[in-house]
Amino acid sequence: MITVSVKPLFIAIFTLSLFLAIVLLSPSSPFSSTPSNKQTGKSDLWGVKRLVEWRPCKWWTHGPRIALPAESNGYIRVDCYGGLNQMRRDFCDGIGIARLLNATLVMPKFEAAAYWNESSGFADVFDVDYFIQQMDGFIKVVKELPPEVASKEPFRVDCSKRKGQFDYIESVLPSLLKYQFISITPAMSQRRDRYPLHAKAALCQACYGALRLTRSLEQKAAELLEAIPKPFLSLHLRFEPDMVAYSQCEYQGLSPASKDAIEAARGDRKPWTGELARIWRKRGKCPLTPNETAFIFQALSIPTNTNIYLAAGDGLMEIEGLKSIYTNVVTKSELLSGEDFLNMHGNTKAALDYYVSINSDFYVATFFGNMDKMVAAMRAYNGLHNTVFLSRRAYAELTSKGLDGKELKQALWLAHKEDFAMGRGSALPDCFCDFKS
């Protein structure tokens, strides 16, 4: 006859029951088990099964490298304009072009003055030595030019209409061979898919594997990240006067101060009116207001007590439309000391937002600009896929049909659920491949 000890069996059953209770009742994310989820029967967005996962392509990260030619065709400097992430994009494109033309890369020229009204160079933001080290084998890079070349200014080559491999070989390479030192600014509409793999690999490595903030800036960014309550969502919200003025969109119900600021920024860009305005808005061309952003957050069952880091520039309008509903919103100006913040230039502030966003638990953007593309790609590179772009087009189309309240929220949920499942916007296909689960 077999006897069983009741006490050990009871302890085992009790322990297993307790473990299952903890697993079942513990939220998988800060958005789980909220009252809104229970009322609607929806899980949180981050719990939606991903059908596509973007990851770095193996031909770039693990593929064999084509040896660099023994002789270079000359030196190329990439001149970068705009905000930090636009300059970063231009620099990455320029590296692909330089590798394509078998050129030696010179440290880029960051033209931040026109955008930020300041002067800050590449070395003020990025770790130069780390960049050179990480690019070894992908492209030749020099900190300084040889004396016979350094004494002259580079020959400026117009690349505004150059898009693909043969454009550069036929139109830019002759100038490189003739002058030996040229400067370029890549066209915005690059056809990177037309580059050979060795040029694309240099571009990808530069953008995602070689650009690291300077030690002092990374330390400041890490301090900021540490100060943010966890877990948290980083929100890149764009509703500044120049952004709205550039969009040529008209808004109802804005404060007099916001209206005046937009009008001052418009210049010759008058807002669309009548049927043209409706078509423009339905195409998703109008930035979401903070109030519209809060409404979509609620549609996605994001709890109103969520910790939100506002990754935004100065001059953000109508922010109370978000803060009146989502009360745990913090900014870098609140978390950093006054002296620290006042001494920062525009590129430094943008770098802090970038660092926090690529390391956040969740990332949400109301636009699909240069920062959003870079952040989403870096998050995919690091295996972080809780990224979503709020759909301006879906919001405009649904509201134009007269949907509101619960009906509008349900429709917005379905639209964003599909976008998240398909990984839309999570990474650009130039350096990332989709892995279907």
Side-chain angles (χ1 to χ4, degrees):
M1 180 178 179
I2 300 173
T3 59
V4 179
S5 177
V6 176
K7 188 173 181 180
L9 182 61
F10 172 78
I11 292 173
I13 293 173
F14 176 78
T15 303
L16 179 61
S17 301
L18 182 61
F19 173 75
L20 290 173
I22 291 172
V23 170
L24 292 172
L25 294 177
S26 296
S28 58
S29 80
F31 298 171
S32 299
S33 302
T34 64
S36 58
N37 287 350
K38 291 176 182 177
Q39 292 168 7
T40 61
K42 296 184 307 203
S43 62
D44 63 79
L45 182 69
W46 316 115
V48 171
K49 180 178 173 59
R50 294 292 290 265
L51 302 179
V52 172
E53 292 285 13
W54 291 97
R55 300 172 190 169
C57 297
K58 291 182 179 179
W59 57 258
W60 153 43
T61 56
H62 297 93
R65 297 183 199 171
I66 297 178
L68 295 172
E71 295 294 326
S72 166
N73 286 330
Y75 298 89
I76 286 183
R77 187 186 75 192
V78 185
D79 293 349
C80 309
Y81 299 84
L84 177 63
N85 291 287
Q86 181 178 334
M87 291 193 290
R88 177 175 175 163
R89 181 206 65 197
D90 288 347
F91 183 45
C92 294
D93 283 336
I95 291 168
I97 296 166
R99 181 66 180 92
L100 176 68
L101 301 181
N102 182 30
T104 298
L105 186 72
V106 181
M107 289 296 102
K109 183 179 181 181
F110 273 20
E111 293 284 4
Y115 190 86
W116 291 118
N117 193 26
E118 60 160 78
S119 59
S120 59
F122 178 81
D124 294 317
V125 180
F126 296 110
D127 187 329
V128 174
D129 291 329
Y130 181 81
F131 173 77
I132 295 174
Q133 176 189 351
Q134 294 300 310
M135 293 308 297
D136 184 42
F138 287 92
I139 189 172
K140 294 177 182 176
V141 186
V142 294
K143 272 187 180 180
E144 298 178 356
L145 289 162
E148 66 273 15
V149 179
S151 60
K152 59 184 179 181
E153 282 295 307
F155 180 78
R156 177 72 179 166
V157 179
D158 180 14
C159 293
S160 59
K161 296 180 181 179
R162 312 298 169 207
K163 296 182 180 180
Q165 174 182 356
F166 296 108
D167 278 344
Y168 288 106
I169 291 174
E170 293 173 2
S171 303
V172 180
L173 181 58
S175 295
L176 176 64
L177 293 170
K178 179 179 179 181
Y179 295 100
Q180 287 295 290
F181 181 29
I182 66 173
S183 68
I184 63 171
T185 299
M188 291 184 67
S189 53
Q190 290 294 302
R191 290 302 305 270
R192 304 174 189 89
D193 57 319
R194 296 179 181 176
Y195 291 2
L197 285 185
H198 65 273
K200 287 178 68 175
L203 183 156
C204 296
Q205 174 67 7
C207 239
Y208 308 113
L211 288 177
R212 184 176 73 180
L213 300 181
T214 63
R215 185 168 298 180
S216 60
L217 189 51
E218 190 170 78
Q219 182 178 353
K220 181 61 63 179
E223 290 173 5
L224 175 59
L225 180 63
E226 181 66 26
I228 301 171
K230 310 295 188 302
F232 76 101
L233 179 154
S234 180
L235 170 63
H236 189 212
L237 178 58
R238 298 297 311 272
F239 200 69
E240 304 91 349
D242 58 340
M243 165 68 76
V244 176
Y246 185 81
S247 73
Q248 296 182 270
C249 296
E250 196 77 271
Y251 291 84
Q252 302 297 321
L254 299 184
S255 68
S258 295
K259 290 179 181 178
D260 291 343
I262 295 168
E263 195 59 36
R266 279 204 194 280
D268 296 331
R269 286 183 171 274
K270 300 303 177 185
W272 297 109
T273 58
E275 184 61 23
L276 286 175
R278 286 188 287 274
I279 293 172
W280 191 247
R281 183 171 289 277
K282 286 178 69 175
R283 287 177 61 191
K285 299 295 185 179
C286 297
L288 292 168
T289 69
N291 186 262
E292 291 168 342
T293 300
F295 185 89
I296 299 176
F297 270 26
Q298 290 177 301
L300 302 182
S301 296
I302 298 178
T304 55
N305 64 349
T306 298
N307 296 317
I308 297 176
Y309 173 79
L310 194 59
D314 301 328
L316 194 61
M317 303 182 297
E318 305 290 316
I319 190 59
E320 284 307 314
L322 174 72
K323 286 185 173 181
S324 62
I325 300 171
Y326 286 84
T327 53
N328 294 338
V329 177
V330 296
T331 64
K332 52 186 171 292
S333 61
E334 296 168 349
L335 297 173
L336 297 173
S337 70
E339 185 178 352
D340 267 356
F341 188 71
L342 289 175
N343 290 335
M344 288 181 184
H345 50 67
N347 273 342
T348 301
K349 294 177 182 177
L352 294 181
D353 283 342
Y354 168 82
Y355 182 91
V356 169
S357 295
I358 65 171
N359 289 291
S360 61
D361 298 287
F362 311 94
Y363 180 72
V364 179
T366 64
F367 205 68
F368 193 51
N370 293 309
M371 173 173 166
D372 308 305
K373 294 171 185 176
M374 287 292 180
V375 168
M378 275 306 299
R379 288 176 63 81
Y381 178 77
N382 293 325
L384 301 174
H385 298 286
N386 285 335
T387 301
V388 71
F389 295 90
L390 301 189
S391 177
R392 291 164 289 151
R393 174 175 287 186
Y395 184 84
E397 288 181 346
L398 293 169
T399 53
S400 71
K401 295 176 181 177
L403 272 64
D404 60 9
K406 291 183 179 180
E407 191 177 16
L408 176 57
K409 286 182 178 179
Q410 181 62 22
L412 286 168
W413 160 259
L414 293 174
H416 288 86
K417 177 183 176 182
E418 182 181 355
D419 284 350
F420 183 75
M422 298 306 297
R424 292 191 181 116
S426 293
L428 302 181
D430 305 308
C431 305
F432 293 82
C433 298
D434 62 301
F435 289 78
K436 296 179 174 61
S437 57

